[in-house]
């Protein structure tokens, strides 16, 4: 998990870890590849083996892959990988914090979690956003992976 994803759901974390173990792969994630993910940007969970990380460190010199360490795990055929899925597609939501609008949305959501005294599961986060049209549109101009190629 990364610092720009402050609203990770422990149930999703556990699911990705279990799929990683069950599938016996080098890498497992819920949000990549982006094209097949049903999860919002911002609840990203990626699990990889130390063996795969050590191999990548020794073999990879490409600056892009060294900056975005896990890209090589799912963008190349040198590693085995799998993707944790869910039944409902929520990929149109954005819960990451990369832009000022993202920060405002997350601050609002955290305030609602606190005032409602709820856990903050992904379903609860989506409900909070759906109940406020202004908040829902706040960061809608941004998309998953924006800036990865810069």
């Amino acid at each position: 998990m990364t610092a720009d994803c402050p609203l990770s759901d422990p149930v999703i974390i556990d699911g990705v870890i279990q799929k990683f173990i069950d599938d016996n792969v080098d890498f497992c994630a819920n949000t990549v590849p982006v094209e097949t993910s049903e999860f919002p940007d911002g609840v990203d969970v990626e699990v990889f083996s130390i063996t795969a990380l050590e191999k990548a460190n020794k073999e990879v010199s490409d600056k892009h892959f060294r900056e975005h360490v896990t890209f090589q795990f799912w963008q190349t055929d040198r590693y085995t990988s799998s993707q944790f899925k869910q039944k409902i597609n929520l990929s149109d939501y954005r819960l990451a914090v990369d832009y000022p609008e993202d920060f405002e949305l997350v601050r609002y959501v955290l305030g609602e979690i606190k005032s409602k005294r709820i856990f903050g599961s992904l379903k609860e986060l989506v409900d909070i956003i759906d109940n406020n049209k202004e908040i829902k549109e706040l960061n809608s101009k941004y998309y998953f992976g924006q800036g990865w190629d810069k």
Side-chain angles (χ1 to χ4, degrees):
M1 297 180 301
T2 57
D4 62 347
C5 300
L7 298 173
S8 295
D9 184 331
V11 173
I12 296 169
I13 295 167
D14 288 348
V16 176
I17 292 169
Q18 191 61 56
K19 183 152 182 67
F20 171 80
I21 293 167
D22 292 346
D23 292 355
N24 192 29
V25 291
D26 296 316
F27 174 82
C28 183
N30 65 324
T31 55
V32 290
V34 174
E35 302 79 25
T36 57
S37 173
E38 300 106 354
F39 289 92
D41 186 6
V43 295
D44 314 24
V45 178
E46 297 176 297
V47 179
F48 46 88
S49 68
I50 189 68
T51 303
L53 185 61
E54 288 171 340
K55 176 182 174 182
N57 185 47
K58 288 178 190 173
E59 297 177 0
V60 175
S61 59
D62 181 292
K63 288 172 124 180
H64 183 70
F65 284 156
R66 290 198 72 83
E67 178 182 354
H68 302 285
V69 176
T70 62
F71 281 21
Q72 59 207 313
F73 297 143
W74 56 274
Q75 288 184 352
T76 72
D77 60 1
R78 296 192 328 245
Y79 305 90
T80 57
S81 65
S82 62
Q83 187 176 35
F84 180 73
K85 300 282 204 165
Q86 64 180 0
K87 293 180 178 149
I88 183 167
N89 189 340
L90 300 173
S91 62
D92 288 340
Y93 293 84
R94 181 177 171 80
L95 299 166
V97 180
D98 294 311
Y99 303 98
E101 296 91 341
D102 295 334
F103 180 76
E104 291 304 317
L105 181 139
V106 169
R107 180 171 34 192
Y108 175 81
V109 168
L110 289 172
E112 289 294 295
I113 289 170
K114 183 177 180 180
S115 71
K116 295 176 188 289
R117 296 177 179 242
I118 57 176
F119 179 74
S121 69
L122 180 56
K123 182 188 179 327
E124 291 168 330
L125 300 176
V126 167
D127 288 345
I128 290 169
I129 293 167
D130 282 345
N131 287 325
N132 186 319
K133 184 179 179 183
E134 185 179 310
I135 287 297
K136 188 172 185 175
E137 293 177 5
L138 191 62
N139 65 353
S140 62
K141 67 182 175 183
Y142 302 112
Y143 57 89
F144 200 124
Q146 189 170 355
W148 279 354
D149 293 328
K150 291 182 181 176

